[in-house]
Each structure stands twice: as structure tokens, then as C-alpha cells.
Amino acid sequence: GDGGPDGGIVPLTLSANPPKVLVGLIPAAKELEKLRKTLKRTTEITMADVVALAGAEAIETAGGPRLVVQLGKGETKSSSKPTPSNVGSLPDLSGRGNRSDVIAAFRRAGLTERDVAIFFGIRVAVEKVVENVVNVEEEPQEVNEMGESDVSFPSSFGGPKEKYGKQIGQLDKAIFVSILAGAKQKDTNIPDVFYDTTVADCAQAYAKKKTDFVKDLREAYGSWMSLGAQYTGGGILLFDSNY
């Protein structure tokens, strides 16, 4: 169907008057726009591709598995781009949105409460990473003859799981153990969706078995990224792993 992570939400978020539910995404949208401009210097890439890549990178950085990303998504047609007049059905994915509205939005997209549990489990894990990140002063970079900062590569990449970048979070069954404990204590930082019985049951299952969560996360991310996608024949960026 139409819609999905086709990149059309980014320009709406960066518009002069973005919908209230998107205001919290403005910093992320700005970073995605900067990343796209940087990548387009050397390769043809759409905002939909950037969204898919950024999501996969966030999941891995937060401690999740390496994912398969299909590139080559077409640009959003102007006629199908969300506008202020047709965003009434946009769910509040901040974790504070009404659980019924959020779950209904997932169902309209052909998804289930399992997807809701996985999505918000990822969100909680990523938020924990952001909270724990320590800002360190960057080393001064040398400028090349083109006036650009040279990129330096580390001589050691750590263990096999971190050969493409350092994992600084924990995205496995432990995150659901933490979520369920917080929900039991009525922690206001726990996304409202976890007070839904079916979503909570999914979280309970993932809190017991890591392998089920990792398997379902891989499948779910592929499903999310294919919603509303039209491909132009691009390749596959394979972030595969056996852990």
C-alpha cells in the first residue's frame, strides 16, 4: 500500500509548521537531511534509503543485530507526500501517545502488536544509549587540498561484532525485562503501549528468549522498510551476522 518509510515525512517535519506529533523529530530530520547531502556527493541515494540505513545503524549501535538493507527506493511522488491537511492519522510515536491510537495506526499499515512491542523496545534501547553517551572533545582533523577534513580510520576495530562500528547499548531480552519492571512500577518513562495486554504479552515472550526477539526484529525491520516502497533497481547493503 501507500505510505511507509518513504522519506516523505522528513520534509514535512522540517516544514515551517510541522504537525505537533513530529516536532520531536526535527533534530533527527535535520541530521538525515545533512547525511543525504553528504552521501549524494559520491552516490545517488534517496531520502528513503537514508532513513532505512540510519534505522539499521541505530539498531546495531544500540546493541541489536546487523541488518539487511535494500537500497534503490524511489523518491516520494509529490502527490503522495504527506501534507498538513492529511496528517491527522499520524500516530504519536514518542512513547507518550495514546496506546489505542498507536496500535490502530500500526494495524492500518498491516502490522501487529508484535511490531509495536519490537518498535518501542528499540526506541527505549536507543534512548538509553543517547542518555549514556558521553561527549568527548574531538581531535582536530587535518584539512586536505580540497578544503575538506580528512577521515582517519582506527587501527583496531575491536571484536568481530564491532568491525563496522562500536556497539554501545544492549538491545536484547534485557531491554524488555527492564521495560516490564518499569511498567510494573508505573514508571512514566515507559511507553504507554506496554500497558496494552497484547503488547505486554509480546514483551514478556521476548524477555524470556533472546533468539526469538533477534529473529523477529530482523523480519520486522524488513517489513517496515518495505511499506509503500517502490524500488528503482538499487542493490542490497548486507549487514549480515551470525550472532
Side-chain angles (χ1 to χ4, degrees):
D2 295 332
D6 56 14
I9 206 71
V10 175
L12 178 60
T13 302
L14 297 177
S15 64
N17 296 296
K20 185 178 180 180
V21 296
L22 299 181
V23 171
L25 299 178
I26 291 176
K30 288 181 177 179
E31 290 301 318
L32 290 174
E33 184 60 41
K34 286 167 54 179
L35 179 58
R36 183 193 184 193
K37 289 180 179 179
T38 299
L39 292 174
K40 281 183 74 70
R41 295 175 185 172
T42 56
T43 186
E44 189 61 35
I45 191 168
T46 65
M47 181 56 76
D49 287 333
V50 173
V51 169
L53 289 169
E57 178 65 20
I59 288 171
E60 184 180 354
T61 300
R66 202 160 293 136
L67 301 171
V68 175
V69 178
Q70 171 73 59
L71 300 181
K73 291 183 179 181
E75 293 283 5
T76 308
K77 296 180 180 179
S78 58
S79 60
S80 62
K81 288 182 179 179
T83 63
S85 62
N86 65 9
V87 297
S89 61
L90 287 176
D92 182 353
L93 301 180
S94 67
R96 297 168 181 78
N98 179 277
R99 74 192 77 153
S100 297
D101 293 341
V102 172
I103 293 171
F106 271 69
R107 285 192 167 278
R108 285 196 300 272
L111 304 175
T112 68
E113 282 82 353
R114 183 199 73 159
D115 294 281
V116 175
I118 294 172
F119 178 88
F120 282 94
I122 293 170
R123 182 181 177 89
V124 171
V126 171
E127 286 178 341
K128 286 182 179 294
V129 167
V130 173
E131 290 172 0
N132 294 329
V133 166
V134 177
N135 293 321
V136 295
E137 184 177 354
E138 295 184 358
E139 295 182 3
Q141 293 180 317
E142 296 182 2
V143 178
N144 60 26
E145 63 274 9
M146 300 297 292
E148 299 174 334
S149 297
D150 284 331
V151 178
S152 59
F153 296 93
S155 58
S156 175
F157 291 92
K161 295 182 181 180
E162 297 182 341
K163 61 183 178 181
Y164 295 113
K166 185 174 179 59
Q167 291 183 310
I168 53 178
Q170 185 177 27
L171 181 50
D172 55 24
K173 67 177 185 178
I175 200 68
F176 290 99
V177 172
S178 173
I179 288 170
L180 292 170
K184 188 175 182 179
Q185 298 172 2
K186 305 298 182 183
D187 185 342
T188 56
N189 291 319
I190 300 300
D192 185 63
V193 294
F194 287 106
Y195 293 98
D196 174 82
T197 302
T198 306
V199 175
D201 286 344
C202 292
Q204 287 277 8
Y206 291 141
K208 294 178 181 178
K209 198 169 183 180
K210 174 183 177 180
T211 53
D212 286 348
F213 169 63
V214 172
K215 173 179 175 293
D216 286 355
L217 188 157
R218 290 180 185 277
E219 294 177 356
Y221 193 76
S223 296
W224 302 343
M225 293 301 108
S226 66
L227 290 173
Q230 294 184 357
Y231 292 95
T232 60
I236 294 177
L237 184 58
L238 182 61
F239 288 149
D240 198 8
S241 67
N242 54 9
Y243 60 89

